[in-house]
């Protein structure tokens, strides 16, 4: 096989040379069935050999348009120049020492960048981990030590991970929790602001409803932390009504509760700001980040008030690989790309293009109940026309059509009836428009 080089120099085109998946992918899929546990699913089983800009190249030579970024990870693109350059240089130098044994400066550099970039100008510190779930677990550990309290409050439709504590925090039972209990205790769920499904409660009203549940069912003085995604990801790209987040944050402040923003999916330029909470001027006590932070390498962080972070005893935080030097180098490359190319602005441009296309689709197809999102994190929710009854079947049919035509789309939502659009910010306008031509075709073909 000839060597295929990925990155931004890959031809930026949708080009199908076989059916999807083609014979080469189907052959690997057979081996997957033999050797990979059935519990590990795949949305679209084309086996990728190279990627960059806005395309994924598969084993059969098909070039697909990527509207998913590997679930909001390759914000700077796949194989972005600075990510590759810095990660390669780090690989040449050394792969691992364990920061807890003999440290290296890349880890400190990432923590310094996080202190600068995350909301608020108070003194901030960070700890680095491997996955989003691990960051969320550690945010809870830190909040518990700091407050001396146990209770954790999360919201309806929340997604925080698949480890035992984070499964307890995640709302959706199937597939994330089914049969995996018993779950960690002292996790309580409050109602979310979900304008399409809560009768359009204002942010203040939805916050009052949530706070009432917390005060009556948990007790403000028992709560260590409230953990919330500023725009919910897996749960359906739910954008809370304006004022909801500030009111919840204010209640936390008044009750000595640590306010944790889970920015794992929405953070790092995705929404058109560095962080989704920036839009509402909310300054969280702790922020969890992962995904977009390192251009595809596994890295996650908890960042927050130095005083809260330092509540934990020496040696209380860590892990063998947390803040791996190659992942840190990739994160510094990713942040460099975001700064140099002002990718937050690019996310707003991409968002404007998607908003126009999705508004037009909504006008044409009354199965689309709502267009929502911010920046390059947009969604449409499909409901039986004239109702708010979820239409998961139509959602699946539209997705299948897009996949067969070489456009990688992702669905989400408690009821599986939401399309989420998360293109890499390295995608070109033409390719993006073409992808939405295919999405429009898919609605027509499945009508
Ligand atoms: N918090 C807000 O979106 C990960 C999950 C995909 P990890 N979302 C994608 C799947 O089906 O497993 C996520 C998130 C938010 C936490 C996490 C967890 O991050 O890196 O997957 O552990």
């Amino acid at each position: 096989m000839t060597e295929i080089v990925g990155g931004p120099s890959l031809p930026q085109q949708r080009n199908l040379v076989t059916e999807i998946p083609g014979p080469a992918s189907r052959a690997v899929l057979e081996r997957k069935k033999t050797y990979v546990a059935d519990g590990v699913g795949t949305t679209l089983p084309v086996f990728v050999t190279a990627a960059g800009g806005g395309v994924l190249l598969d084993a059969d030579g098909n070039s697909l348009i990527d509207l998913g970024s590997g679930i909001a990870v390759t914000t700077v693109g796949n194989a972005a120049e600075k990510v590759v350059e810095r990660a390669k240089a780090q690989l040449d130098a050394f792969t691992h020492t364990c920061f807890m044994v003999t440290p290296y400066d890349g880890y400190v550099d990432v923590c310094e960048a996080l202190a600068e970039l995350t909301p608020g100008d108070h003194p901030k510190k960070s700890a680095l981990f491997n996955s989003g779930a691990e960051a969320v677990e550690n945010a809870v550990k830190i909040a518990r030590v700091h407050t001396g309290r146990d209770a954790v409050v999360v919201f309806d439709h929340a997604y925080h991970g698949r480890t035992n504590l984070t499964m307890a925090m995640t709302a959706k039972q199937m597939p994330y929790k089914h049969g995996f209990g018993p779950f960690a205790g002292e996790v309580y769920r409050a109602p979310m602001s979900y304008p399409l499904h809560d009768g359009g409660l204002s942010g203040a009203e939805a916050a009052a409803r949530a706070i009432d549940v917390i005060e009556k069912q948990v007790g403000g003085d028992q709560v260590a932390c409230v953990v919330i995604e500023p725009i919910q990801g897996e749960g359906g790209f739910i954008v809370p009504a304006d004022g909801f987040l500030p009111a919840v944050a204010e209640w936390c402040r008044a009750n000595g509760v640590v306010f944790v923003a889970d920015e794992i999916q929405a953070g790092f330029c995705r929404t058109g700001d560095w962080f989704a909470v920036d839009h509402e001027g909310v300054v969280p006590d702790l922020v969890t980040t992962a995904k977009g932070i390192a251009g595809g390498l596994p890295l996650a962080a908890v960042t927050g008030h130095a005083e809260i972070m330092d509540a934990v005893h020496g040696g209380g935080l860590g892990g063998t690989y947390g803040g791996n030097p190659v992942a840190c180098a990739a994160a510094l490359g990713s942040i460099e790309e975001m700064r140099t190319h002002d990718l937050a602005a690019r996310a707003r441009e991409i968002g404007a293009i998607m908003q126009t296309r999705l508004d037009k689709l909504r006008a044409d197809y009354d199965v689309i109940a709502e267009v929502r999102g911010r920046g390059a994190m947009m969604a449409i929710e499909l409901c039986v026309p004239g109702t708010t009854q979820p239409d998961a079947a139509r959602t699946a049919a539209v997705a299948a059509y897009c996949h067969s035509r070489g456009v990688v789309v992702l669905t989400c939502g408690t009821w599986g009836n939401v399309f989420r659009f998360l293109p890499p910010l390295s995608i070109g306008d033409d390719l993006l428009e073409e992808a939405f031509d295919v999405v429009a075709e898919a609605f027509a073909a499945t009508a």
Side-chain angles (χ1 to χ4, degrees), residues 71 131-133 159-162 176 229 234 262 264-265 291:
I71 321 188
S131 68
Y159 184 93
H160 298 292
R162 294 176 183 262
Y176 306 124
E229 300 154 84
E234 305 305 307
D262 181 346
I264 287 165
Q265 188 147 170
K291 292 185 184 281

Side-chain angles (χ1 to χ4, degrees), residues 222-237:
Q222 305 297 303
V223 180
C225 56
V226 167
V227 184
I228 187 162
E229 300 154 84
I231 297 180
Q232 287 183 319
E234 305 305 307
F237 275 33

Side-chain angles (χ1 to χ4, degrees), residues 157-191:
H157 312 287
Y159 184 93
H160 298 292
R162 294 176 183 262
T163 56
N164 188 263
L165 172 60
T166 59
M167 272 193 293
M169 297 169 69
T170 289
K172 195 173 177 176
Q173 199 261 354
M174 184 60 94
Y176 306 124
K177 306 168 78 161
H178 185 76
F180 296 145
F183 303 113
E186 288 306 308
V187 175
Y188 299 90
R189 198 167 301 286

Side-chain angles (χ1 to χ4, degrees), residues 64-76:
L64 296 86
I65 306 179
D66 182 12
L67 294 186
S69 298
I71 321 188
V73 172
T74 53
T75 306
V76 294

